[in-house]
Amino acid sequence: KGYKAVDASSGINAEYGEFYMFLLLIASWLYSSQCKKLDAQNDKAVTPVILVPGIFGSQLDGWYNKKTVPHYYCTKDSKTWTTLWLCVECMLPPTLPCWVDTMKLNISDVKNAKNVDGVQTKVNDFGYTDGISYLDKNRYVVQYEIMVEGFVSKLGYKRGVNIRGAPYDYRYSPTSEVGQMYMTRLKYLVEETYELNKNNRVMFIAHSMGNPYLVNFFKQMEQAWKDKYIAGYIAIAGVFGGSAKAIRALMSGETEDLPGPILNPLSMRDFQQTLPTIYWLMPPAKMWSDTTFVFANGRNYTAEQYTALMKDAKIPFGPAMYDTIKEVPLFEPDLGVDVYCIHGINQTTPFQFRYPPGGFPDSRPETINGNGDGTVNVRSLHLCKQFKRLKGYKAVDGVWATHLEILKRDDIIDYIVMLVDNNNRRLNGEHVIDF
């Protein structure tokens, strides 16, 4: 009726079997509870984020096969896609003319600026974050990376899923053919991101010229579309009323504070004078009217005298280029979305430029500074206070408050993460944190 044989080890197992079974049940219960907790977290509504960079804020790749080059040592055929921006080694003095010859635009028709013959370009990593986290592929020059990592570490966001980048070719205006292709692509990215995140609306975060780009994007979208897909828009260092530095770029070249001995601004001028967006960012005459920005040749040039200024600076195509872009808005008060505004203040910011006798436009002007964030003048920054659906405003000074460094500032990143997290809390019926 029964038979049992045991040895020492099985005897011990029999003695402690019930205890082992109890531990197994506890472990199983803990594992099941953790899985349910993770499932509950995954079921929570999350506000996805799309990041839009500013001018010179998107990595650009190029493939070229050119018939002519400016110097014998310049490469005519890249043979594959290669980095154009930011390519630090390309911008060293011996190779800089080669780079300029590839990056500048063909403006024989100012209404249809395009790549020079034999050059193709594309942005890097659209929809993901690598193309806007760093300006260069070697990851030396940080842009959005610290903010992206803030969302990943603090809120558990995933790159390419609910924290995404929307780089664009910053050389072209939003109304150009290339700009309009970007607008279409951005619309599809919003809709895809919405669906990837269980039909939760998207929060935009834009920096610098990315803000006027979004102004034009929102103007094109129907209100019903914005109501369905857009949770809000966080504007950082918006160039809503232009920047005086754009004038200096056209006249004498601009290198964004790179040291002159390494990169002479005049070397960049030929490139920058072909970019419609530089003309777009000049302080608009409708806002600045009789404000004098340039003192040269015994004249005072105001915002209403850009045509004369460009003619005197020997930019023959400049007035026609400016005419194609001057009516494209940098700012509109009613975008049909909620807006949060952030910018730096009380930083030394170029405002007016005085050239020595006989030194216009090739010499470096004396810069008369004013208030702003180091790049954008304060009057331009303050336009964001006029948004009809402004939900939050924050101006900061001190360390890390300049136009570029503000993207790396801890308290600003915490503030932005909290804004988005509070939207998540509202979606999930949770307590919103006051800050």
Side-chain angles (χ1 to χ4, degrees), residues 33 44-45 83 100 133 162 179 209 241 273 275 295 305 327 342 348 351-352 356 382-383 405 410 412 435:
S33 298
K44 284 188 174 182
T83 300
V100 168
S133 288
N162 41 33
M209 192 180 76
Q273 286 180 347
L275 307 190
F295 305 92
Q305 297 171 313
E327 298 301 328
I342 304 166
T348 300
F351 180 48
Q352 296 170 309
H382 278 171
L383 274 179
E405 300 299 338
D410 289 341
I412 293 299
F435 58 96

Side-chain angles (χ1 to χ4, degrees), residues 400-415:
W400 298 88
T402 60
H403 189 70
L404 298 176
E405 300 299 338
I406 196 169
L407 293 177
K408 309 170 192 175
R409 183 166 161 152
D410 289 341
D411 62 333
I412 293 299
I413 293 173
D414 289 343
Y415 175 73

